Amino acid sequence: MKLNAQFLLSAFAPEHFPTQARTGGAPEVAFLGRSNVGKSSLINALLGAGMAKVSSTPGRTRSINFFGLYPVSSSGQQKSLPALVFADLPGYGYAKISKSIAAEWSGFIDPYLTDREQLALCCCLVDTNIPPQPSDTQLMDFLRHEQRPFVVIGTKSDRLSNNTLAKSIAALKREHGVDEVIAVSVEKGKSDKGLRALWERLESVIPA
Ligand SMILES: Nc1nc2c(ncn2[C@@H]2O[C@H](COP(=O)(O)OP(=O)(O)OP(=O)(O)O)[C@@H](O)[C@H]2O)c(=O)[nH]1
Ligand SMILES: [Mg+2]
């Protein structure tokens, strides 16, 4: 299926979340993880450069940013409703701004993860360059409790040798209690095997 990506809106409160009229109730995929882990970069790699704002300053994404993925017919016509919606979420776990982030989480991110009916899959991004983080374990425990399906994605894999990456992935699987961690890199010229595996998983949430 050919999909055309379009920015929908930035939400700072639950009442801003895209309406049924806007999305037709399309399934949503949320991108979650600590500040600077590479959420916005991954969305750009999946949807095309420039979609989401990337920054070297942690804590850049402060709103939930929604993107619609619209099917395009063989004649090139774009459908009026998206088949899938991506949600780029603010990061957590960055000490300097953790207080304001904590307030945001209880204000509108928590409600999004708890109540959003369309939310079909959570992508939990973890950095393969650092040891497993308690804040990530905490998020996954929360998602398990909420019975939200999630997939764990290991970012910035280009910075590690194959051997070190394999060890890191093994540690992440063990610590987070998951069978699979999809290793990805958004660096040009690096293998896009992980990105392709991820796309397959994402497309699987679109109803046939
Ligand atoms: N080497 C390498 N760097 C990456 C990769 N993905 C992201 N980065 C870098 O990591 C930094 C943070 O990336 P973002 O995508 O803005 O991270 P984020 O998770 O959206 O951050 P917040 O919005 O602050 O929560 C940027 O400097 C990116 O260039 C990757 O696959 N490889
Ligand atoms: Mg971001």
Side-chain angles (χ1 to χ4, degrees):
M1 186 190 295
K2 188 181 180 317
L3 296 167
N4 226 354
Q6 246 175 293
F7 173 75
L8 289 176
L9 58 86
S10 295
F12 291 90
E15 53 272 28
H16 301 155
F17 297 160
T19 59
Q20 178 82 14
R22 188 91 189 263
T23 70
E28 288 178 11
V29 175
F31 291 80
L32 293 153
R34 301 170 75 243
S35 290
N36 219 41
V37 70
K39 298 175 291 296
S40 300
S41 300
L42 179 60
I43 289 180
N44 283 332
L46 293 168
L47 299 188
M51 273 285 157
K53 282 203 186 73
V54 170
S55 163
S56 51
T57 320
R60 175 48 50 110
T61 308
R62 306 270 24 101
S63 47
I64 302 183
N65 296 319
F66 291 91
F67 304 86
L69 279 67
Y70 296 83
V72 180
S73 69
S74 48
S75 63
Q77 195 120 26
Q78 185 178 306
K79 296 255 169 69
S80 58
L81 290 173
L84 196 61
V85 169
F86 280 6
D88 185 10
L89 275 85
Y92 53 84
Y94 184 63
K96 234 181 176 170
I97 41 172
S98 65
K99 252 197 187 149
S100 63
I101 285 183
E104 276 166 14
W105 270 75
S106 56
F108 71 108
I109 299 166
D110 228 69
Y112 177 78
L113 295 175
T114 311
D115 304 331
R116 186 76 170 164
E117 228 171 275
Q118 300 92 311
L119 180 56
L121 181 66
C122 292
C123 292
C124 297
L125 277 65
V126 296
D127 192 336
T128 56
N129 293 248
I130 58 172
Q133 299 291 303
S135 53
D136 294 327
T137 311
Q138 229 178 344
L139 172 71
M140 289 176 220
D141 285 343
F142 173 75
L143 294 175
R144 284 188 186 102
H145 178 258
E146 296 295 323
Q147 298 184 310
R148 290 292 194 190
F150 66 87
V151 55
V152 182
I153 298 160
T155 64
K156 309 189 187 181
S157 63
D158 55 277
R159 290 190 181 162
L160 298 174
S161 69
N162 286 343
N163 197 17
T164 318
L165 177 63
K167 281 188 187 143
S168 165
I169 296 291
L172 289 165
K173 282 195 211 168
R174 196 170 50 238
E175 195 65 32
H176 296 313
V178 293
D179 296 332
E180 187 189 24
V181 172
I182 303 176
V184 298
S185 166
V186 306
E187 287 294 294
K188 292 227 163 54
K190 297 290 166 184
S191 159
D192 62 352
K193 206 174 108 209
L195 288 177
R196 273 185 280 129
L198 177 58
W199 254 128
E200 266 174 39
R201 184 70 207 277
L202 299 183
E203 282 187 322
S204 75
V205 310
I206 303 176

